[in-house]
Amino acid sequence: MRILIYSYNYFPEPIGIAPLMTELAEGLVKRGHQVRVVTGMPWYPQKEVYKDYQGKLYCTEVINGVAIQRSYVWIRPEPSLIDRLLLEVSFVATSFVHALKGKRPDIVFLTAPPLPVAVPAALLGWLHRVPVVLNLQDILPDAAVHLEILTNPKLIRIFSILEKFAYRTATKISVIADGFIKNLRKKGVSESKIELIPNWVNVDFIKPLPKEPNEFRQEHGLNGKFVVMYSGNIALSQGIETVIQASIRLRHVPEIAIVIVGEEKALERLQQEEARALVEWQIEIQKKARSLVKAEAKALQQLQLYKQTCKATNVLLLPFQPREKLPEMLAAADVGLVLQKHNVIDFNMPSKIPVLMASGRAIIASVPAEGTAASAIQRSGGGIRVKPEDPKNLAAEILDLYLHPEKVKALGEKGRKYAEENYAFDRALDRYEQLFASLQKR
């Protein structure tokens, strides 16, 4: 079968949809299919085209048997609204020209967001008279409007029209969580058109490894520490500042280390947040000290200890690691963090949840109670949910797990088992093969 994958992002981009689409494309090739990927020049998450691809309008390369057709995208380090629109428009225009170069596919598979990609994908499906499968990783414009990222009424209207166009022109729509189905049905999409295929994780690549000895721990001075790790995108929907504020409340326990792995420019912002949060915490301590002047000497000594430990950081900010080092990095943690803000739309499903479960590490999920993420954590038994954007509760749960290592172990084992049974890559690959084959028979 000849399969054309239309994806905004692809290898070597380290996070987001790129690793998933890379694994899907290469997995299909290993099963004997011919796969062509239409994508942009790599730019995420640095918001800058990677050095080896700069200055190019088009390029074609073959990696692990996958033919990759890359095209120019308009990208700026600090994009304005106009820049964001130009990014969408540039990819739609340049990628379609490149996509026309190649053998007729049997299936066109596109991933969204972004929504404008539905236009060239639909045109390809119409020109070649082949089925189009739309893979929804998020629902726009709902999510952007809910987070107040998109507020312009005219743009909301345009994206709503694009959304309807994408659903209407797709032969099938694959979604990654139950909440998506509910949303699409409310918008008039027939349930027979929807296929639930959760995002996956390669459980043979991401697997439980010894916490020590561990090269990542050794390299970053983490041996003997209780490591709480967040790794991934540092975006508006995450609320990563909650982790910084929680870490301030844990500085009296030197054995606890908070590790945040992300894009370097975003980490600079976090360093500023840490300094601000520390000042606020020290002011709070001083207020408590004044209120306890007449208290017992022991209590006052304890408060002074808090003040002293606040001078030493327990947060380690690190850039993204090469993908081949991901299993070892995840194994360096005792606990993995999943973060969302309180106003994140309920069907949002972070792709890091299956990855953390597969690594065999306990999860603390600071996510809304009614959302898809909370539901996944609850069903798996592999983690604990805390109220989003609540640093006090987050700090309390971290401390509780630090004091109960047997609980940490049990959560990690349950998460791993759930990942093997529900998120294994081979299972997802089987379902996509079956879906593509069923559409060919029509």
Side-chain angles (χ1 to χ4, degrees):
M1 196 185 309
R2 288 193 295 269
I3 302 164
L4 189 153
I5 296 178
Y6 222 116
S7 177
Y8 225 42
N9 304 96
Y10 194 78
F11 176 87
E13 292 162 306
I15 61 169
I17 193 62
L20 287 170
M21 289 302 104
T22 303
E23 287 175 347
L24 179 62
E26 293 180 358
L28 288 167
V29 165
K30 286 177 181 176
R31 293 195 177 188
H33 303 287
Q34 296 177 39
V35 181
R36 178 161 57 105
V37 173
V38 176
T39 187
M41 300 295 173
W43 58 272
Y44 189 73
Q46 293 95 318
K47 294 187 177 68
E48 181 181 17
V49 173
Y50 290 17
K51 187 177 179 181
D52 292 344
Y53 297 89
Q54 289 177 0
K56 296 180 179 179
L57 184 60
Y58 293 105
C59 77
T60 301
E61 53 190 341
V62 177
I63 300 176
N64 294 330
V66 180
I68 307 163
Q69 296 176 300
R70 300 189 187 273
S71 61
Y72 168 82
V73 288
W74 175 277
I75 189 70
R76 293 295 180 269
E78 296 182 8
S80 64
L81 178 60
I82 297 298
D83 289 324
R84 291 176 191 275
L85 292 174
L86 286 173
L87 169 62
E88 307 271 1
V89 171
S90 64
F91 180 64
V92 166
T94 60
S95 65
F96 182 66
V97 173
H98 219 183
L100 291 171
K101 302 172 185 176
K103 291 183 178 178
R104 174 187 177 275
D106 298 309
I107 295 283
V108 175
F109 178 86
L110 73 145
T111 181
L115 281 173
V117 177
V119 176
L123 282 172
L124 285 171
W126 178 75
L127 285 170
H128 295 301
R129 298 290 189 269
V130 297
V132 175
V133 177
L134 169 63
N135 171 241
L136 280 184
Q137 294 289 325
D138 206 344
I139 294 184
L140 292 179
D142 298 30
V145 172
H146 202 70
L147 287 169
E148 298 182 352
I149 297 171
L150 188 62
T151 57
N152 185 296
K154 289 183 180 178
L155 284 177
I156 292 172
R157 172 76 176 150
I158 290 169
F159 276 97
S160 295
I161 291 170
L162 279 171
E163 181 188 25
K164 290 176 184 175
F165 174 83
Y167 299 161
R168 188 176 70 252
T169 55
T171 313
K172 277 280 188 178
I173 302 171
S174 68
V175 298
I176 62 173
D178 293 333
F180 285 66
I181 298 175
K182 214 178 296 182
N183 183 282
L184 294 183
R185 286 177 64 188
K186 285 179 183 176
K187 294 173 179 175
V189 179
S190 169
E191 195 162 347
S192 63
K193 198 173 191 176
I194 306 168
E195 191 83 17
L196 174 61
I197 306 178
N199 279 344
W200 57 87
V201 58
N202 187 335
V203 294
D204 295 321
F205 176 60
I206 305 295
K207 56 189 176 183
L209 297 173
K211 191 170 65 175
E212 291 183 7
N214 180 289
E215 191 175 323
F216 184 89
R217 276 184 167 250
Q218 181 72 33
E219 184 181 348
H220 299 292
L222 296 169
N223 283 339
K225 299 280 189 180
F226 183 83
V227 176
V228 180
M229 182 181 293
Y230 175 85
S231 174
N233 189 21
I234 299 172
L236 286 173
S237 60
Q238 257 79 51
I240 190 72
E241 293 85 356
T242 304
V243 180
I244 297 294
Q245 292 159 12
S247 72
I248 300 295
R249 291 167 166 78
L250 294 167
R251 291 191 177 206
H252 64 293
V253 187
E255 292 80 12
I256 296 178
I258 311 295
V259 178
I260 298 175
V261 181
E263 195 270 315
E264 290 187 61
K265 290 178 182 176
L267 292 177
E268 291 174 9
R269 178 174 62 83
L270 283 185
Q271 286 177 326
Q272 296 169 0
E273 172 62 25
E274 184 182 12
R276 186 194 63 78
L278 179 55
V279 169
E280 289 182 357
W281 181 239
Q282 287 174 331
I283 290 170
E284 185 178 336
I285 287 174
Q286 287 166 7
K287 287 179 180 178
K288 288 180 180 178
R290 286 194 292 270
S291 69
L292 290 172
V293 167
K294 296 179 181 179
E296 294 179 2
K298 186 177 179 181
L300 191 56
Q301 287 172 3
Q302 186 67 29
L303 207 51
Q304 290 298 331
L305 177 62
Y306 265 74
K307 286 184 69 176
Q308 290 168 13
T309 55
C310 277
K311 294 176 183 175
T313 183
N314 58 350
V315 179
L316 183 62
L317 304 176
L318 298 171
F320 283 120
Q321 306 296 299
R323 182 157 177 78
E324 62 271 16
K325 291 188 177 182
L326 182 59
E328 188 173 45
M329 183 193 80
L330 294 171
D334 293 272
V335 175
L337 293 177
V338 176
L339 305 169
Q340 291 180 331
K341 286 191 172 181
H342 72 279
N343 61 343
V344 166
I345 205 156
D346 61 1
F347 52 72
N348 185 279
M349 174 64 176
S351 59
K352 63 170 57 63
I353 288 179
V355 174
L356 290 175
M357 288 181 183
S359 72
R361 295 305 186 254
I363 297 173
I364 295 180
S366 176
V367 299
E370 303 304 319
T372 300
S375 177
I377 296 296
Q378 184 180 12
R379 284 199 305 267
S380 71
I384 296 166
R385 190 200 75 85
V386 299
K387 185 180 176 183
E389 299 181 78
D390 188 337
K392 288 182 181 179
N393 276 341
L394 179 57
E397 288 296 346
I398 291 171
L399 186 59
D400 181 68
L401 290 183
Y402 164 70
L403 294 172
H404 299 94
E406 71 288 348
K407 186 177 180 180
V408 176
K409 184 174 182 290
L411 290 170
E413 288 172 351
K414 288 179 182 177
R416 172 65 188 185
K417 185 174 184 291
Y418 191 82
E420 290 175 337
E421 293 173 353
N422 295 274
Y423 297 130
F425 175 53
D426 284 342
R427 176 177 293 202
L429 199 55
D430 288 343
R431 294 182 67 179
Y432 273 116
E433 270 195 311
Q434 291 163 11
L435 174 60
F436 295 160
S438 69
L439 294 175
Q440 272 203 298
K441 291 175 184 176
R442 291 186 175 185

